[in-house]
Coordinates of all heavy atoms in Angstrom, one line a residue:
F5 N -11.3 2.0 -7.7 CA -10.9 2.3 -6.4 C -10.2 3.7 -6.3 O -9.4 4.0 -7.1 CB -9.8 1.2 -5.9 CG -9.4 1.3 -4.5 CD1 -10.1 0.6 -3.5 CD2 -8.4 2.1 -4.1 CE1 -9.7 0.7 -2.2 CE2 -8.0 2.2 -2.8 CZ -8.7 1.5 -1.9
G6 N -10.6 4.5 -5.4 CA -10.1 5.8 -5.3 C -9.9 6.2 -3.8 O -10.5 5.6 -2.9
F7 N -9.2 7.2 -3.6 CA -9.0 7.7 -2.2 C -10.2 8.3 -1.6 O -10.3 8.5 -0.4 CB -7.8 8.8 -2.2 CG -6.4 8.2 -2.4 CD1 -5.5 8.8 -3.2 CD2 -6.1 7.0 -1.8 CE1 -4.2 8.3 -3.3 CE2 -4.8 6.5 -1.9 CZ -3.9 7.2 -2.7
G8 N -11.2 8.7 -2.5 CA -12.4 9.3 -2.0 C -13.2 8.5 -1.0 O -13.8 9.1 0.0
D9 N -13.2 7.2 -1.1 CA -13.9 6.4 -0.2 C -13.1 5.8 0.9 O -13.4 4.9 1.6 CB -14.6 5.4 -1.1 CG -14.7 3.9 -0.6 OD1 -13.9 3.6 0.2 OD2 -15.6 3.2 -1.0
M10 N -11.9 6.3 1.0 CA -10.9 5.7 2.0 C -10.7 6.6 3.2 O -10.5 7.8 3.1 CB -9.5 5.6 1.2 CG -8.4 5.1 2.0 SD -6.8 5.2 1.2 CE -7.1 4.2 -0.2
D11 N -10.7 5.9 4.3 CA -10.3 6.6 5.6 C -8.9 6.1 6.0 O -8.7 4.9 6.1 CB -11.3 6.2 6.7 CG -12.6 6.8 6.5 OD1 -12.8 7.9 6.0 OD2 -13.6 6.1 6.9
V12 N -8.0 7.0 6.1 CA -6.6 6.7 6.6 C -6.6 6.6 8.1 O -6.9 7.6 8.8 CB -5.6 7.7 6.1 CG1 -4.2 7.4 6.6 CG2 -5.6 7.8 4.6
L13 N -6.4 5.4 8.6 CA -6.4 5.1 10.0 C -5.1 5.4 10.7 O -5.1 5.8 11.9 CB -6.8 3.7 10.3 CG -8.2 3.2 9.7 CD1 -8.4 1.8 10.0 CD2 -9.3 4.1 10.2
E14 N -4.0 5.3 10.0 CA -2.7 5.5 10.5 C -1.8 5.9 9.3 O -1.9 5.4 8.2 CB -2.2 4.2 11.1 CG -0.8 4.2 11.7 CD -0.3 2.8 12.2 OE1 -1.1 1.9 12.3 OE2 0.9 2.7 12.5
G15 N -0.9 6.9 9.6 CA 0.0 7.3 8.5 C -0.6 8.3 7.5 O -1.4 9.1 7.9
R16 N -0.4 8.0 6.3 CA -0.8 9.0 5.2 C -1.1 8.2 3.9 O -0.8 7.0 3.8 CB 0.3 10.0 5.0 CG 1.6 9.4 4.4 CD 2.6 10.5 4.1 NE 3.8 10.0 3.6 CZ 4.0 9.6 2.3 NH1 3.1 9.7 1.4 NH2 5.2 9.2 1.9
K17 N -1.6 9.0 2.9 CA -1.9 8.4 1.6 C -0.6 8.5 0.8 O 0.3 9.3 1.0 CB -3.0 9.3 0.9 CG -4.3 9.2 1.6 CD -5.3 10.1 0.8 CE -6.6 10.1 1.5 NZ -7.6 11.0 0.9
L18 N -0.6 7.7 -0.2 CA 0.5 7.7 -1.2 C 0.4 9.0 -2.0 O -0.7 9.5 -2.3 CB 0.4 6.5 -2.2 CG 0.8 5.1 -1.5 CD1 0.4 4.0 -2.5 CD2 2.2 5.0 -1.2
E19 N 1.5 9.5 -2.5 CA 1.6 10.7 -3.3 C 2.5 10.5 -4.5 O 3.4 9.6 -4.4 CB 2.1 11.9 -2.4 CG 1.3 12.2 -1.2 CD 1.9 13.2 -0.3 OE1 3.0 13.7 -0.6 OE2 1.3 13.5 0.7
A20 N 2.3 11.3 -5.5 CA 3.1 11.2 -6.7 C 4.6 11.3 -6.4 O 5.5 10.6 -7.0 CB 2.8 12.3 -7.7
K21 N 5.0 12.1 -5.4 CA 6.4 12.3 -5.0 C 7.0 11.0 -4.4 O 8.2 10.9 -4.2 CB 6.6 13.5 -4.1 CG 6.0 13.3 -2.7 CD 6.2 14.5 -1.8 CE 5.7 14.2 -0.4 NZ 5.9 15.3 0.5
D22 N 6.2 10.0 -4.1 CA 6.7 8.8 -3.5 C 7.2 7.8 -4.6 O 7.8 6.8 -4.2 CB 5.5 8.1 -2.7 CG 5.1 8.8 -1.5 OD1 5.9 9.6 -0.9 OD2 3.9 8.7 -1.1
E23 N 7.0 8.1 -5.8 CA 7.5 7.3 -6.9 C 8.9 6.9 -6.8 O 9.8 7.8 -6.5 CB 7.2 7.9 -8.3 CG 7.5 7.0 -9.4 CD 7.1 7.7 -10.8 OE1 5.9 8.0 -10.9 OE2 8.0 7.8 -11.6
G24 N 9.2 5.6 -6.9 CA 10.6 5.1 -6.8 C 11.1 4.8 -5.4 O 12.2 4.3 -5.2
K25 N 10.3 5.2 -4.4 CA 10.7 4.9 -3.0 C 10.1 3.6 -2.5 O 10.4 3.2 -1.4 CB 10.2 6.1 -2.1 CG 10.8 7.4 -2.5 CD 10.3 8.5 -1.6 CE 11.0 9.8 -2.0 NZ 10.4 11.0 -1.3
Y26 N 9.2 3.0 -3.3 CA 8.6 1.7 -2.9 C 7.9 1.8 -1.6 O 8.2 1.1 -0.6 CB 9.6 0.6 -3.0 CG 10.2 0.4 -4.4 CD1 11.4 1.0 -4.7 CD2 9.4 -0.2 -5.4 CE1 11.9 0.9 -6.0 CE2 9.9 -0.3 -6.7 CZ 11.1 0.3 -7.0 OH 11.6 0.2 -8.3
Y27 N 6.9 2.7 -1.5 CA 6.0 2.8 -0.4 C 4.7 2.1 -0.7 O 4.4 1.9 -1.9 CB 5.7 4.3 -0.1 CG 6.9 5.1 0.5 CD1 6.9 6.5 0.3 CD2 7.9 4.5 1.1 CE1 7.9 7.2 0.9 CE2 9.0 5.2 1.6 CZ 9.0 6.6 1.5 OH 10.0 7.3 2.0
T28 N 4.0 1.7 0.3 CA 2.7 1.1 0.2 C 1.7 1.5 1.2 O 2.1 2.0 2.3 CB 2.9 -0.5 0.2 OG1 1.6 -1.1 -0.1 CG2 3.3 -0.9 1.5
M29 N 0.5 1.4 0.9 CA -0.6 1.5 1.9 C -1.3 0.1 2.0 O -1.4 -0.6 1.0 CB -1.7 2.5 1.5 CG -1.2 3.9 1.4 SD -2.5 5.0 0.9 CE -3.6 5.0 2.3
I30 N -1.7 -0.2 3.2 CA -2.3 -1.5 3.4 C -3.7 -1.4 4.1 O -3.9 -0.5 4.9 CB -1.4 -2.5 4.2 CG1 -1.1 -2.0 5.6 CG2 -0.1 -2.8 3.4 CD1 -0.2 -2.9 6.5
G31 N -4.6 -2.2 3.7 CA -5.9 -2.2 4.3 C -5.8 -2.7 5.8 O -5.0 -3.5 6.1
N32 N -6.8 -2.2 6.5 CA -6.7 -2.5 8.0 C -6.9 -4.0 8.3 O -6.3 -4.5 9.2 CB -7.7 -1.7 8.8 CG -9.2 -2.0 8.4 OD1 -9.5 -2.1 7.2 ND2 -10.0 -2.1 9.4
E33 N -7.6 -4.7 7.5 CA -7.8 -6.1 7.7 C -6.5 -6.9 7.3 O -6.1 -7.8 8.0 CB -9.0 -6.7 6.9 CG -10.3 -6.2 7.3 CD -10.7 -6.6 8.8 OE1 -10.2 -7.6 9.2 OE2 -11.4 -5.8 9.4
F34 N -5.8 -6.5 6.3 CA -4.5 -7.0 5.9 C -3.5 -6.7 7.0 O -2.8 -7.6 7.4 CB -4.1 -6.4 4.6 CG -2.7 -7.0 4.1 CD1 -2.6 -8.2 3.5 CD2 -1.6 -6.2 4.4 CE1 -1.4 -8.7 3.1 CE2 -0.3 -6.7 4.0 CZ -0.2 -7.9 3.4
A35 N -3.5 -5.5 7.5 CA -2.6 -5.1 8.6 C -2.7 -6.0 9.8 O -1.7 -6.5 10.4 CB -2.8 -3.6 9.0
K36 N -4.0 -6.3 10.2 CA -4.2 -7.1 11.3 C -3.7 -8.6 11.1 O -3.1 -9.2 11.9 CB -5.7 -7.2 11.6 CG -6.2 -6.0 12.4 CD -7.6 -6.3 12.9 CE -8.6 -5.2 12.4 NZ -10.0 -5.4 12.7
S37 N -4.0 -9.1 9.9 CA -3.7 -10.5 9.6 C -2.2 -10.7 9.5 O -1.8 -11.9 9.8 CB -4.4 -10.9 8.3 OG -3.8 -10.3 7.1
V38 N -1.4 -9.7 9.1 CA 0.0 -9.9 9.0 C 0.8 -9.1 10.1 O 2.0 -9.1 10.1 CB 0.6 -9.6 7.6 CG1 0.0 -10.5 6.6 CG2 0.3 -8.1 7.3
N39 N 0.1 -8.5 11.0 CA 0.6 -7.8 12.2 C 1.6 -6.7 11.7 O 2.8 -6.7 12.1 CB 1.3 -8.7 13.1 CG 1.6 -8.1 14.5 OD1 0.8 -7.2 14.9 ND2 2.6 -8.5 15.1
K40 N 1.2 -5.8 10.8 CA 2.0 -4.8 10.2 C 1.4 -3.4 10.5 O 0.2 -3.3 10.7 CB 2.2 -4.9 8.7 CG 2.9 -6.2 8.3 CD 4.3 -6.1 8.6 CE 5.1 -7.4 8.1 NZ 6.5 -7.3 8.4
K41 N 2.3 -2.4 10.6 CA 1.8 -1.0 10.9 C 2.8 -0.1 10.1 O 3.7 -0.5 9.5 CB 1.9 -0.7 12.4 CG 3.3 -0.8 13.0 CD 3.2 -0.7 14.5 CE 4.6 -0.7 15.1 NZ 5.5 -1.8 14.7
V42 N 2.4 1.2 10.2 CA 3.3 2.2 9.5 C 4.7 2.1 10.0 O 5.0 1.9 11.2 CB 2.7 3.6 9.8 CG1 3.7 4.7 9.3 CG2 1.4 3.8 9.1
G43 N 5.6 2.1 9.0 CA 7.1 2.0 9.3 C 7.6 0.6 9.1 O 8.8 0.4 8.9
D44 N 6.7 -0.4 9.1 CA 7.1 -1.8 8.8 C 7.2 -2.0 7.3 O 6.9 -1.1 6.5 CB 6.0 -2.8 9.3 CG 5.9 -2.8 10.8 OD1 6.9 -2.4 11.5 OD2 4.9 -3.3 11.3
T45 N 7.8 -3.1 6.9 CA 7.9 -3.4 5.5 C 7.1 -4.7 5.1 O 6.9 -5.5 6.0 CB 9.4 -3.6 5.0 OG1 9.9 -4.7 5.8 CG2 10.2 -2.3 5.2
I46 N 6.7 -4.8 3.9 CA 6.1 -6.0 3.3 C 6.9 -6.2 2.0 O 7.4 -5.3 1.4 CB 4.6 -5.9 3.1 CG1 4.2 -4.8 2.1 CG2 3.9 -5.7 4.4 CD1 2.8 -4.9 1.6
T47 N 6.9 -7.5 1.6 CA 7.6 -7.8 0.4 C 6.6 -8.1 -0.8 O 5.6 -8.9 -0.6 CB 8.4 -9.1 0.6 OG1 9.4 -8.8 1.6 CG2 9.2 -9.5 -0.7
I48 N 6.8 -7.4 -1.9 CA 6.0 -7.5 -3.1 C 6.9 -7.8 -4.2 O 7.9 -7.0 -4.5 CB 5.2 -6.2 -3.4 CG1 4.3 -5.9 -2.2 CG2 4.4 -6.4 -4.7 CD1 3.6 -4.5 -2.3
L49 N 6.7 -8.9 -4.9 CA 7.6 -9.3 -6.0 C 9.1 -9.2 -5.6 O 9.9 -8.7 -6.3 CB 7.3 -8.4 -7.2 CG 6.0 -8.5 -7.9 CD1 5.8 -7.5 -9.0 CD2 5.7 -9.9 -8.4
Q50 N 9.4 -9.7 -4.5 CA 10.8 -9.8 -3.9 C 11.4 -8.5 -3.6 O 12.6 -8.4 -3.5 CB 11.6 -10.7 -4.9 CG 11.1 -12.1 -5.1 CD 11.9 -12.9 -6.1 OE1 12.6 -12.3 -6.9 NE2 11.6 -14.2 -6.1
K51 N 10.6 -7.4 -3.5 CA 11.1 -6.1 -3.2 C 10.4 -5.6 -1.9 O 9.2 -5.8 -1.7 CB 10.8 -5.1 -4.3 CG 11.1 -3.7 -4.0 CD 12.6 -3.5 -4.2 CE 12.9 -2.0 -4.0 NZ 14.3 -1.7 -3.8
K52 N 11.2 -5.1 -1.0 CA 10.6 -4.6 0.3 C 10.0 -3.2 0.0 O 10.6 -2.3 -0.6 CB 11.6 -4.5 1.4 CG 12.1 -5.8 1.9 CD 13.0 -5.7 3.1 CE 13.5 -7.0 3.6 NZ 12.5 -7.8 4.3
F53 N 8.7 -3.1 0.5 CA 8.0 -1.8 0.4 C 7.7 -1.4 1.8 O 7.3 -2.2 2.7 CB 6.6 -2.0 -0.3 CG 6.6 -2.1 -1.8 CD1 7.2 -3.2 -2.4 CD2 6.1 -1.0 -2.5 CE1 7.2 -3.2 -3.8 CE2 6.1 -1.1 -3.9 CZ 6.7 -2.2 -4.5
E54 N 7.9 -0.1 2.1 CA 7.7 0.5 3.4 C 6.2 0.9 3.5 O 5.7 1.5 2.6 CB 8.5 1.7 3.7 CG 8.3 2.3 5.1 CD 9.1 3.5 5.4 OE1 10.1 3.7 4.7 OE2 8.8 4.2 6.3
V55 N 5.5 0.5 4.6 CA 4.1 0.8 4.8 C 4.1 2.3 5.3 O 4.7 2.6 6.3 CB 3.5 -0.1 5.9 CG1 2.1 0.4 6.2 CG2 3.5 -1.5 5.4
V56 N 3.4 3.1 4.5 CA 3.3 4.6 4.9 C 1.9 4.9 5.4 O 1.6 6.0 6.0 CB 3.7 5.5 3.8 CG1 5.1 5.4 3.5 CG2 2.8 5.4 2.6
G57 N 0.9 3.9 5.2 CA -0.5 4.2 5.6 C -1.2 2.9 5.8 O -1.0 1.9 5.1
V58 N -2.2 3.0 6.7 CA -3.2 1.9 6.9 C -4.5 2.5 6.6 O -4.9 3.6 7.2 CB -3.1 1.3 8.3 CG1 -4.2 0.2 8.5 CG2 -1.7 0.7 8.6
F59 N -5.3 1.9 5.8 CA -6.6 2.5 5.4 C -7.8 1.5 5.6 O -7.6 0.3 5.8 CB -6.6 2.9 3.9 CG -6.5 1.7 3.0 CD1 -7.7 1.1 2.5 CD2 -5.3 1.3 2.5 CE1 -7.6 0.0 1.6 CE2 -5.2 0.2 1.6 CZ -6.4 -0.4 1.2
K60 N -9.0 2.1 5.6 CA -10.2 1.4 5.7 C -11.2 1.9 4.7 O -11.2 3.1 4.5 CB -10.8 1.5 7.1 CG -12.1 0.7 7.3 CD -12.6 0.9 8.7 CE -13.9 0.0 8.9 NZ -14.4 0.1 10.3
T61 N -11.9 1.1 4.0 CA -12.9 1.5 3.1 C -14.2 0.7 3.5 O -14.2 -0.1 4.3 CB -12.6 1.2 1.6 OG1 -12.7 -0.2 1.4 CG2 -11.2 1.7 1.2
S62 N -15.3 1.1 2.8 CA -16.5 0.4 3.0 C -16.6 -1.0 2.4 O -17.4 -1.8 2.7 CB -17.7 1.2 2.5 OG -17.5 1.4 1.1
N63 N -15.6 -1.3 1.5 CA -15.6 -2.6 0.9 C -14.6 -3.5 1.6 O -13.4 -3.3 1.7 CB -15.1 -2.4 -0.6 CG -15.0 -3.6 -1.4 OD1 -14.3 -4.6 -1.0 ND2 -15.7 -3.6 -2.5
F64 N -15.2 -4.7 2.0 CA -14.4 -5.6 2.8 C -13.2 -6.1 2.0 O -12.1 -6.3 2.6 CB -15.2 -6.8 3.3 CG -14.5 -7.8 4.1 CD1 -14.1 -7.5 5.4 CD2 -14.0 -9.0 3.5 CE1 -13.4 -8.4 6.2 CE2 -13.3 -9.9 4.3 CZ -13.0 -9.6 5.6
T65 N -13.3 -6.4 0.8 CA -12.2 -6.9 -0.1 C -11.1 -5.9 -0.1 O -9.9 -6.3 0.0 CB -12.7 -7.3 -1.5 OG1 -13.8 -8.2 -1.4 CG2 -11.6 -7.9 -2.3
E66 N -11.4 -4.6 -0.3 CA -10.3 -3.6 -0.3 C -9.6 -3.5 1.0 O -8.4 -3.3 1.0 CB -11.0 -2.3 -0.7 CG -11.5 -2.2 -2.1 CD -12.2 -0.9 -2.5 OE1 -12.5 -0.2 -1.6 OE2 -12.5 -0.7 -3.7
R67 N -10.3 -3.7 2.1 CA -9.7 -3.6 3.4 C -8.6 -4.7 3.6 O -7.8 -4.6 4.5 CB -10.7 -3.7 4.5 CG -11.6 -2.5 4.6 CD -12.4 -2.4 5.8 NE -13.3 -3.6 6.1 CZ -14.6 -3.6 5.8 NH1 -15.2 -2.6 5.3 NH2 -15.3 -4.7 6.1
G68 N -8.7 -5.7 2.8 CA -7.7 -6.8 2.9 C -6.6 -6.7 1.8 O -5.8 -7.6 1.6
G69 N -6.5 -5.5 1.2 CA -5.6 -5.3 0.1 C -4.4 -4.4 0.4 O -4.2 -3.9 1.5
V70 N -3.6 -4.3 -0.7 CA -2.4 -3.5 -0.6 C -2.4 -2.5 -1.8 O -2.7 -2.9 -2.9 CB -1.1 -4.5 -0.8 CG1 0.2 -3.7 -0.9 CG2 -1.1 -5.4 0.4
L71 N -2.0 -1.3 -1.6 CA -1.9 -0.3 -2.7 C -0.4 0.1 -2.8 O 0.3 0.3 -1.9 CB -2.7 0.9 -2.3 CG -4.2 0.8 -2.2 CD1 -4.8 2.1 -1.8 CD2 -4.8 0.3 -3.5
T72 N 0.0 0.2 -4.1 CA 1.3 0.8 -4.4 C 1.1 1.8 -5.6 O 0.0 1.8 -6.2 CB 2.3 -0.3 -4.9 OG1 1.9 -0.8 -6.1 CG2 2.5 -1.4 -3.9
L73 N 2.1 2.6 -5.9 CA 2.0 3.4 -7.1 C 2.2 2.5 -8.3 O 3.0 1.6 -8.3 CB 3.1 4.5 -7.0 CG 2.9 5.5 -5.9 CD1 4.1 6.5 -5.9 CD2 1.6 6.3 -6.1
L74 N 1.4 2.8 -9.3 CA 1.4 2.0 -10.5 C 2.8 1.9 -11.1 O 3.3 0.8 -11.5 CB 0.4 2.6 -11.5 CG 0.3 1.8 -12.9 CD1 -0.1 0.4 -12.7 CD2 -0.6 2.6 -13.8
K75 N 3.5 3.0 -11.2 CA 4.8 3.0 -11.8 C 5.8 2.1 -11.1 O 6.6 1.4 -11.7 CB 5.4 4.5 -11.9 CG 6.8 4.6 -12.4 CD 6.8 4.5 -13.9 CE 8.1 5.0 -14.5 NZ 8.9 3.9 -15.0
D76 N 5.8 2.1 -9.8 CA 6.7 1.2 -9.0 C 6.3 -0.2 -9.3 O 7.3 -1.0 -9.5 CB 6.5 1.5 -7.5 CG 7.1 2.8 -7.1 OD1 7.9 3.4 -7.9 OD2 6.8 3.3 -5.9
Y77 N 5.1 -0.6 -9.3 CA 4.7 -2.0 -9.6 C 5.1 -2.3 -11.0 O 5.6 -3.4 -11.3 CB 3.2 -2.2 -9.4 CG 2.8 -3.6 -9.6 CD1 3.0 -4.6 -8.6 CD2 2.3 -4.0 -10.9 CE1 2.7 -5.9 -8.9 CE2 2.0 -5.4 -11.1 CZ 2.2 -6.3 -10.1 OH 1.9 -7.6 -10.3
Q78 N 4.9 -1.4 -12.0 CA 5.3 -1.7 -13.4 C 6.8 -1.9 -13.5 O 7.2 -2.8 -14.2 CB 4.8 -0.6 -14.3 CG 3.4 -0.5 -14.5 CD 2.9 0.7 -15.3 OE1 3.5 1.8 -15.2 NE2 1.9 0.6 -16.2
D79 N 7.6 -1.1 -12.8 CA 9.0 -1.3 -12.9 C 9.4 -2.7 -12.3 O 10.3 -3.3 -12.9 CB 9.7 -0.2 -12.1 CG 9.6 1.2 -12.7 OD1 9.3 1.2 -13.9 OD2 10.0 2.1 -12.1
L80 N 8.8 -3.1 -11.3 CA 9.2 -4.4 -10.7 C 8.7 -5.6 -11.5 O 9.3 -6.6 -11.6 CB 8.6 -4.6 -9.3 CG 9.3 -3.8 -8.2 CD1 8.5 -4.0 -6.9 CD2 10.7 -4.2 -8.0
S81 N 7.5 -5.5 -12.1 CA 6.9 -6.6 -12.8 C 7.3 -6.7 -14.2 O 7.0 -7.7 -14.9 CB 5.3 -6.5 -12.7 OG 4.9 -5.4 -13.4
G82 N 7.9 -5.6 -14.8 CA 8.3 -5.5 -16.2 C 7.1 -5.3 -17.1 O 7.2 -5.4 -18.3
R83 N 6.0 -4.8 -16.5 CA 4.8 -4.5 -17.3 C 4.6 -3.0 -17.4 O 4.8 -2.3 -16.4 CB 3.5 -5.1 -16.6 CG 3.6 -6.6 -16.6 CD 2.3 -7.1 -16.0 NE 2.4 -8.6 -15.9 CZ 1.4 -9.3 -15.4 NH1 0.3 -8.8 -15.0 NH2 1.6 -10.6 -15.4
K84 N 4.3 -2.5 -18.6 CA 4.2 -1.1 -18.8 C 2.7 -0.8 -19.2 O 2.1 -1.4 -19.8 CB 5.1 -0.6 -19.8 CG 6.6 -0.8 -19.5 CD 7.0 0.0 -18.3 CE 8.4 -0.3 -17.9 NZ 8.9 0.3 -16.7

């Protein structure tokens, strides 16, 4: 999965400088199903993440997904 096949419909892409801020991008199908948009929060592993972007890809499964920075997820999950 990469940003190359992704269209940002709202907001922006995640960037390295976002590390530690607990930002996320959500697929457009996920956004519709949970009624979320840029500026809203979602909870991942009991931590609130702010939605900074809504994206669409050609892959239906990815459109229902959530992206975070790997380092932020590793810190929360205890996995390195």
Side-chain angles (χ1 to χ4, degrees):
F5 187 90
F7 287 139
D9 139 337
M10 176 188 301
D11 292 322
V12 178
L13 303 177
E14 181 183 349
R16 64 175 180 83
K17 294 178 182 177
L18 291 169
E19 301 173 356
K21 68 179 182 178
D22 294 332
E23 188 175 297
K25 297 178 182 175
Y26 299 100
Y27 289 158
T28 187
M29 293 180 70
I30 58 177
N32 65 313
E33 294 297 329
F34 179 82
K36 279 190 236 177
S37 72
V38 296
N39 196 31
K40 296 289 183 177
K41 63 185 181 315
V42 170
D44 291 343
T45 60
I46 62 171
T47 302
I48 302 171
L49 296 176
Q50 301 173 346
K51 175 76 176 169
K52 289 190 183 280
F53 281 70
E54 181 181 342
V55 176
V56 296
V58 177
F59 67 89
K60 181 178 182 177
T61 71
S62 59
N63 182 300
F64 180 77
T65 303
E66 291 173 350
R67 292 192 304 258
V70 174
L71 297 176
T72 67
L73 293 176
L74 179 60
K75 178 78 169 103
D76 289 347
Y77 183 80
Q78 287 174 324
D79 288 347
L80 285 178
S81 67
R83 297 181 181 181
K84 302 290 176 187

